[in-house]
Amino acid sequence: MVGEFDSGGCAMRPPSRVCERCATELSQYNPGALCALCSKAGTAPGVPDRAWRDEAVYRALAAWDFGELLRLVRRRAGLSQMAVRELTALPQSFISGLERGQKQIGSPVTLLDLLNGLGLPSDLQSLLLTPLRGDAPKPGHGRSTEVVLPWTADRMVTSLEVAIGGTAMKRRRVLTALSGAALTQYVLQSAIAPTEAVAASSGTTTVTDALIGSLQSTTDALRQVDATSGSGSLAHTAKTHLQMLLHLLKHGSYSERHGRRLAAVTADTAAQTGWYTFDGGDHDAAQHLFLGALRAAHASGDSRLRAGALGFLAIHGYSVGDPRDAITAARTARQTITEHDAPALNAMLLTRQARGHARLREERHALAALAEAEELCARGRGEDDPHWLYWVHTGEILGQTGSCYLDLGQPDRAAQSFAAARDVLSRDEIRTTAQFLSRAATAQMRAGDADAGCATAHDVLTLAEGIASARLDDHLRNMLNEARSYGASSPARTLLERGENVMRQRAAA
């Protein structure tokens, strides 16, 4: 938590406040007496399951007639439109207009708010696929060939084979970035499509627990290298590892249990390969690796892996795509893990949702997501938090908070958050530290503190040595561009001379 600064320049923490209900420390952004989770528990009554059990409700859901669906479910549940507003956070005027046919759902986020707020039962989610199974596209939404292909194990393997090096013709046809309605359809399918059995008995290689464990260890080792040294040449190595996994899925011999585990390692590896590719600057190819990872996660039956892949899609959305896609992906991911005790995973997803809101300058929503992330992080790791989320801690939350403030145009507060993050980030997380500090330097210079900004920037240039990351290069360029506005000062001139030399060396490496 970032506090005010005393006259000596030291951070002063304000007195801690705790939730009156669960005693969790409250975020600095929360002025109320309850934490975000406890506040939610006190909202309007939920929709009982019986309200969904009617043929007319099924027909409206299958037809995507959300006005009729809302009217039927609300009346069967005995709820007022005001109660629905509390459950969904949608304006009462919109709810009324939707029921009367005067309003339409034009945003993926609005659709998710409505269905999640009403508590759509999991066994009815497959009805949402009905319009996508026919020959005609759903009214008002674009159609993507990739989206309507079935969610089978074979399709998962094919999708990833193309993403890591299919024929030129296939790559031109498939590797185009998804966004908006097409991406939303894909994300929704990942949550509601039935899971197919994953087993094979005719292969020449027997897949064992020991083999799967070894394959997972390789993925974990590559993840550790990335955290310290950047992606560098990891994308090529990871693709080779992923090819081995795909070969085993196609030609191995394994039971249903081993097939699920093999798909899980494939999902983790594909998501990491996508990250190394993204960090290397190939954003469209990275997105399709993330989409393939989502398919593999679906095949594994592990909703936490599905949430992880959606988290990477959120990064793609707020970094180089549409920030609204980031919000959709993060919210959907959180909905898929509601039955898990996974505060760290939820906190990670909330920071990525916050980044999407911040890019859209939706300050209230961004800060609310950050507040909830901070509270969840303070609770520690849950029983169901995956091992690959070791890096979610206070430093990560503070760093993402600084990034949000920078995107919101508040460099002073961004600089404070980054300073607090620097104090608690692990020294082993060199690449992450370098990225956050590059943004810290940018924030300090934008706030008018050229001396502090240049000093931080020199620290960043030192950290950057040995880190191969195109994404970090983008941060360095932004940092140096900010310094050019102070070009007449001696600290800025010295920084720019060193920075230009460093960037030449990195380009030649």
Side-chain angles (χ1 to χ4, degrees):
M1 185 179 293
V2 182
E4 298 299 324
F5 285 80
D6 64 10
S7 58
C10 297
M12 301 290 291
R13 290 175 60 88
S16 296
R17 297 183 303 115
V18 297
C19 173
E20 291 183 353
R21 184 170 299 170
C22 69
T24 296
E25 184 176 354
L26 293 176
S27 164
Q28 61 177 318
Y29 312 115
N30 184 349
L34 300 177
C35 70
L37 298 180
C38 290
S39 294
K40 287 182 179 179
T43 58
V47 175
D49 184 76
R50 60 176 169 74
W52 292 93
R53 306 303 169 181
D54 183 81
E55 288 295 329
V57 173
Y58 302 157
R59 288 194 297 271
L61 186 61
W64 285 52
D65 187 348
F66 296 116
E68 177 68 2
L69 175 74
L70 173 58
R71 186 184 67 80
L72 290 169
V73 171
R74 182 179 65 79
R75 292 184 177 180
R76 287 173 60 81
L79 296 177
S80 67
Q81 291 183 350
M82 293 296 288
V84 172
R85 186 191 71 173
E86 292 298 316
L87 289 170
T88 64
L90 298 173
Q92 192 271 335
S93 59
F94 177 82
I95 292 169
S96 175
L98 183 64
E99 287 194 3
R100 295 199 304 269
Q102 298 172 345
K103 299 281 188 180
Q104 297 293 325
I105 292 181
S107 162
V109 172
T110 302
L111 175 58
L112 292 171
D113 282 342
L114 177 68
L115 296 180
N116 291 345
L118 294 177
L120 172 66
S122 59
D123 63 310
L124 299 185
Q125 291 176 345
S126 60
L127 290 174
L128 286 168
L129 291 174
T130 303
L132 306 178
R133 294 188 182 116
D135 293 330
K138 179 169 50 61
H141 288 76
R143 176 143 178 175
S144 164
T145 302
E146 173 69 12
V147 170
V148 297
L149 287 170
W151 282 71
T152 62
D154 286 344
R155 178 57 199 156
M156 174 260 290
V157 172
T158 300
S159 175
L160 285 170
E161 284 181 330
V162 172
I164 63 176
T167 66
M169 182 177 296
K170 282 186 176 180
R171 287 178 67 82
R172 283 196 299 270
R173 185 172 72 249
V174 177
L175 293 187
T176 54
L178 294 183
S179 64
L183 182 60
T184 299
Q185 289 179 16
Y186 198 106
V187 168
L188 284 175
Q189 285 192 43
S190 75
I192 63 182
T195 302
E196 185 189 58
V198 185
S201 59
S202 60
T204 56
T205 302
T206 301
V207 177
T208 64
D209 286 328
L211 177 57
I212 294 173
S214 177
L215 293 166
Q216 181 65 64
S217 295
T218 299
T219 300
D220 292 338
L222 293 175
R223 189 180 357 249
Q224 290 285 351
V225 173
D226 172 65
T228 56
S229 304
S231 61
S233 60
L234 287 181
H236 175 75
T237 304
K239 285 179 182 178
T240 301
H241 181 44
L242 183 56
Q243 284 174 330
M244 182 184 301
L245 286 159
L246 295 176
H247 179 82
L248 287 172
L249 282 166
K250 290 177 67 175
H251 305 295
S253 175
Y254 45 87
S255 64
E256 172 71 10
R257 183 177 70 85
H258 285 126
R260 296 278 184 223
R261 287 195 63 199
L262 191 57
V265 180
T266 301
D268 190 11
T269 304
Q272 286 302 125
T273 304
W275 169 247
Y276 307 145
T277 303
F278 183 83
D279 196 44
D282 193 347
H283 301 141
D284 286 356
Q287 191 201 48
H288 280 271
L289 281 161
F290 297 148
L291 295 173
L294 195 54
R295 286 187 176 274
H298 178 270
S300 77
D302 190 335
S303 59
R304 298 168 302 172
L305 286 167
R306 186 183 301 134
L310 288 168
F312 279 117
L313 283 169
I315 293 179
H316 186 280
Y318 72 66
S319 297
V320 298
D322 188 337
R324 290 169 294 188
D325 292 339
I327 298 168
T328 297
R331 283 184 170 179
T332 305
R334 294 198 69 209
Q335 180 66 18
T336 67
I337 58 171
T338 53
E339 296 181 357
H340 286 291
D341 174 26
L345 183 54
N346 274 284
M348 178 272 285
L349 294 167
L350 281 162
T351 63
R352 296 183 182 180
Q353 179 181 328
R355 292 294 302 276
H357 286 304
R359 282 296 175 96
L360 295 171
R361 295 299 181 100
E362 296 173 347
E363 180 176 351
R364 180 172 63 86
H365 294 301
L367 296 185
L370 289 170
E372 190 171 352
E374 185 180 357
E375 290 164 359
L376 285 166
C377 186
R379 296 187 181 188
R381 298 186 65 81
E383 289 185 5
D384 300 326
D385 272 318
H387 74 281
W388 37 265
L389 271 186
Y390 61 89
W391 46 268
V392 174
H393 46 59
T394 303
E396 172 70 16
I397 305 300
L398 287 168
Q400 294 293 353
T401 299
S403 294
C404 285
Y405 276 131
L406 196 57
D407 290 340
L408 289 168
Q410 300 180 38
D412 287 326
R413 302 194 72 176
Q416 291 184 28
S417 292
F418 285 128
R422 185 176 189 174
D423 291 338
V424 294
L425 281 171
S426 169
R427 294 183 180 181
D428 294 331
E429 299 174 61
I430 302 174
R431 197 269 307 280
T432 299
T433 301
Q435 288 188 170
F436 280 153
L437 288 186
S438 68
R439 303 207 86 198
T442 299
Q444 289 168 326
M445 287 186 273
R446 285 186 186 173
D449 193 345
D451 289 344
C454 289
T456 301
H458 278 290
D459 292 341
V460 174
L461 294 177
T462 300
L463 285 172
E465 295 178 6
I467 300 177
S469 165
R471 194 160 182 253
L472 177 58
D473 289 344
D474 289 339
H475 286 299
L476 295 178
R477 279 189 283 270
N478 291 337
M479 178 184 75
L480 295 172
N481 284 337
E482 200 68 41
R484 288 190 174 89
S485 62
Y486 295 96
S489 70
S490 178
R493 286 199 307 271
T494 302
L495 171 64
L496 288 170
E497 289 173 2
R498 183 188 177 192
E500 289 166 1
N501 184 50
V502 168
M503 296 306 291
R504 282 194 297 268
Q505 293 174 354
R506 293 178 70 82

